[in-house]
Amino acid sequence: MKAVHVDLGEKSYNIYIGEKCLADLPRLLTGVSPDSVSLLVSDELVFSLYGEEVLEILHSAGFKVEAAVIKGGEGCKNLTTLDWLYEQMITRGLDRSSTVFTLGGGVVGDLAGFAAASFMRGIGFIQIPTSLLAQVDSSVGGKTGVNLPLGKNLVGAFYQPGLVLADVSLLNTLAEKEYKTGLAEVIKYGVIWDGTFFDFLETNRERIKARDPKYLIHMVQRCCEIKAEIVSQDEKESGLRALLNLGHTFGHAFEALTGYKQFTHGEAVAIGMVCVARLAEKLGTMTAAEAGRVVDLIQNYGLPVHYGNLPADDIVVRMRMDKKSTAGKIKMVLPTGIGSSEVTAGITEEQIKSVLS
Ligand SMILES: NC(=O)c1ccc[n+]([C@@H]2O[C@H](COP(=O)([O-])OP(=O)(O)OC[C@H]3O[C@@H](n4cnc5c(N)ncnc54)[C@H](O)[C@@H]3O)[C@@H](O)[C@H]2O)c1
Ligand SMILES: [Zn+2]
């Protein structure tokens, strides 16, 4: 098993990555009290696949863990489900020394992580991410929260887990669409931070697409290392952490304008990365050859590279609504080559439209 250390002072923790490593969980649980009742939160699909196995592993090691299973999907990452979770925590007798285990994708991790952060002002929190997106992105960095009717992730907390255990064998049952949505974030790490990793993704495309565990372990590990490095320098997103938003300003506009139905998050981000690569080429921070490699890699992983027939004006209006834009000028992350990037302020609407045509 590989370990990635997330260095956050007193809040530091490890991410363990391996193949068929769920059984290693008990020996890693040094801070979890066997005397208190803990809660394993999962969604219906993931629980049906792995829930009993994880409960059995924890029970055999003497931990008192009960399951709370939510329906699943973005639609249940809300205050109603959170309220139900608190109710479960109280009726099953969780106390200040209890722990919440999450077994699922980003929805379960964000929701149950926030429940752990807020219940009795914060109890134990262990993440077992099961989607690729959760293993490489959402389980790392401590952002937890829920959506409100008025917007996504509007209520939440920075709350770091005690540990993360990412078993890449669990990814075998992940639907192709969900796997690809995670791959878009994987490609993002190569573009913003690590050219060698980008090369690895180019060279080993077939093995990664076939979900070869050896390659998945390296891939998940490298993504976690990069995110851990960024987050340990900027936990609360005052600077560097913004680089993780590459492709997201465009991507959020594509998602919103299609009612969150046409594209998965990763697909929208993939198209967004194509747009920023082309923009970087126009502004001269990236060569045409480098931008071409980004577009090719996205396409070769079966991700979309075009947003269809959305009107450019609508896209620009949406992007202007983004938190990061000021006075008609839009701030976004631009690649400055393969493996490096920077936040660029003052991108004009004309420049944006020039890559949308
Ligand atoms: N906290 C953060 O830093 C952060 C970062 C990025 C995204 N997010 C959040 O993450 C969420 C998206 O995460 P997601 O893409 O994992 O979505 P998700 O949790 O809805 O999982 C996607 C689907 O895959 C299924 N699934 C998960 N693991 C599986 C497995 N091993 N086998 C079969 N099916 C499996 C789930 O049941 C679900 O249907 C969003 O709410 C987003 O806001 C958070
Ligand atoms: Zn994303």
Side-chain angles (χ1 to χ4, degrees), residues 43-46 49-50 72-74 77 104-108 110 130-134 137-144 147 152-153 170-175 178 181 185 227 241 265:
D43 69 26
E44 284 175 2
L45 176 56
V46 176
L49 294 164
Y50 307 109
E74 193 66 34
K77 198 177 115 175
V107 165
V108 166
D110 281 15
T130 63
S131 69
L132 180 59
L133 184 129
D137 190 358
S138 65
S139 72
V140 189
K143 280 191 184 175
T144 67
N147 303 325
K152 288 196 165 195
N153 300 319
L170 308 189
L171 301 178
N172 279 328
T173 50
L174 194 64
E178 301 298 344
T181 212
E185 305 284 0
K227 188 156 180 189
R241 193 166 178 163
H265 173 68

